Amino acid sequence: MLEFFRISGLFVITALAEIVGCYLPWLVLTQEHSRWLLIPAALSLAAFAWLLTMHPGAAGRIYAAYGGVYVVIAMLWLWQVDGLTPTRWDLVGGAVSLVGMAIIAMQPGRSV
């Protein structure tokens, strides 16, 4: 169970790196922020790719499980950064995603 929480924490950090790496170019392209933001965006996406390699197990299974955590972190981003309160549908979708992640990550005889 401790391993599950360690992997989940790594998924959270990985999701934040991916979201930041995508959010900064969005600011440049849609909000006319400085193009200099593309440098930390590229670094963040490189960190995202590197962080994915730190997860144990088969790549496809890791990506599938990671997706559930990503959905929830994106909903938190919606709330904390975009300033929009998630709807009950957002929350239910996030919960379903986490259940899917847990099923994939905690299957007997396999690690994520």
Side-chain angles (χ1 to χ4, degrees):
M1 190 57 125
L2 183 60
E3 181 72 3
F4 175 76
F5 288 113
R6 186 187 73 74
I7 290 170
S8 296
L10 188 53
F11 279 150
V12 168
I13 295 166
T14 304
L16 286 172
E18 182 179 10
I19 290 170
V20 168
C22 294
Y23 184 71
L24 295 178
W26 180 83
L27 289 175
V28 172
L29 295 171
T30 65
Q31 307 297 312
E32 299 181 12
H33 282 65
S34 169
R35 290 180 186 217
W36 287 103
L37 287 178
L38 297 176
I39 294 171
L43 294 172
S44 187
L45 287 174
F48 157 70
W50 174 72
L51 287 164
L52 280 177
T53 69
M54 297 179 68
H55 295 273
R61 188 172 291 120
I62 290 165
Y63 301 154
Y66 163 73
V69 175
Y70 178 87
V71 168
V72 172
I73 297 302
M75 289 295 105
L76 289 170
W77 187 276
L78 173 75
W79 180 35
Q80 294 298 309
V81 176
D82 292 333
L84 299 172
T85 303
T87 67
R88 84 176 92 181
W89 298 103
D90 294 329
L91 298 175
V92 169
V96 168
S97 296
L98 280 182
V99 168
M101 181 280 257
I103 290 169
I104 293 167
M106 297 179 69
Q107 61 183 287
R110 304 249 184 223
S111 70
V112 179

